[in-house]
Amino acid sequence: MDSELAALCARGDEKARKELYTRYAASLYALCIRYVGDREEARDLMHDSMIRIFDTIGKYRPVGTLRSWCSRVTVNHVIDHLRKQKKLRMVSLDECQEKIPEPSKEEVLKIPKSDLMKMVGALPETKRIIFNLFCIEGYSHKDIAKMLDIKEKTSSSLLFKAREQLAAKVKEYIRNNGL
């Protein structure tokens, strides 16, 4: 089904393009929000990503799902956008933070998903991007390093710091809400 839809889109079939947009626009928009944290900017990036998807859909090969291919095109577009906007700010590896143990899975499950996403969204830009790429999208530190033009060790370190910050926010949320 993915191959057929992609082939129709590549031929310019408007009905197929509308189907692809209807199927994936919401998840691609959510993906963009995770990276930029701003709804209007995310909406623009999602629309630009859809244009890029339609322009390059002829390159889709059914190795993975069409959804994952569209997500990869979108992530690459968002990273390019952030790089051009100079919003990717590298944080010093010497940045000091209190060492906080990660919360248990049971503790995290008590927190509404929307509140968890707000916590992720509140991370500093580069940490949020690396957290999303590694923990949500499943990219390796090697892939992240190439995408962001940083060292693998920097990616790993910033992910560690992002997790520390999230752990602190989760612990605070649990304490403040009596969970």
Side-chain angles (χ1 to χ4, degrees), residues 5-129:
L5 182 60
L8 289 170
C9 287
R11 287 192 292 257
D13 184 304
E14 288 303 317
K15 187 175 179 183
R17 287 179 172 203
K18 183 176 181 180
E19 170 67 24
L20 186 134
Y21 187 93
T22 302
R23 232 188 249 184
Y24 302 125
S27 65
L28 297 178
Y29 172 68
L31 188 150
C32 291
I33 283 183
R34 285 199 311 264
Y35 285 90
V36 298
D38 177 80
R39 292 181 183 281
E40 192 170 318
E41 187 177 12
R43 189 173 20 261
D44 290 344
L45 286 167
M46 185 274 298
H47 286 296
D48 292 346
S49 295
M50 291 302 295
I51 291 168
R52 187 175 280 188
I53 287 165
F54 291 139
D55 287 347
T56 60
I57 193 123
K59 296 179 181 179
Y60 169 71
R61 299 292 172 257
V63 174
T65 65
L66 185 56
R67 174 188 296 273
S68 65
W69 184 83
C70 290
S71 294
R72 180 172 285 259
V73 169
T74 301
V75 166
N76 289 338
H77 177 66
V78 170
I79 297 298
D80 288 345
H81 167 78
L82 292 171
R83 192 176 291 127
K84 286 176 188 167
Q85 299 297 315
K86 306 231 185 283
K87 289 188 175 180
L88 284 177
R89 183 183 70 78
M90 291 302 134
V91 181
S92 166
L93 293 179
D94 298 327
E95 185 180 306
C96 244
Q97 291 183 358
E98 180 182 346
K99 304 286 184 242
I100 298 171
E102 288 194 15
S104 70
K105 185 176 180 179
E106 292 75 27
E107 289 175 312
V108 173
L109 289 174
K110 292 178 184 178
I111 301 173
K113 184 178 179 181
S114 60
D115 289 337
L116 285 172
M117 293 311 293
K118 285 178 188 171
M119 291 177 201
V120 171
L123 288 170
E125 187 91 32
T126 305
K127 290 178 187 172
R128 181 175 68 234
I129 290 168

Side-chain angles (χ1 to χ4, degrees), residues 122-169:
L123 288 170
E125 187 91 32
T126 305
K127 290 178 187 172
R128 181 175 68 234
I129 290 168
I130 290 171
F131 180 86
N132 281 323
L133 287 170
F134 188 88
C135 296
I136 298 175
E137 306 300 329
Y139 287 93
S140 69
H141 287 298
K142 183 177 183 176
D143 292 336
I144 294 168
K146 284 180 189 173
M147 291 170 103
L148 303 181
D149 195 26
I150 59 176
K151 295 180 179 175
E152 285 182 56
K153 190 170 184 166
T154 302
S155 175
S156 177
S157 176
L158 289 172
L159 176 64
F160 178 79
K161 291 174 186 291
R163 284 182 163 165
E164 280 185 328
Q165 281 185 267
L166 286 173
K169 289 176 187 276

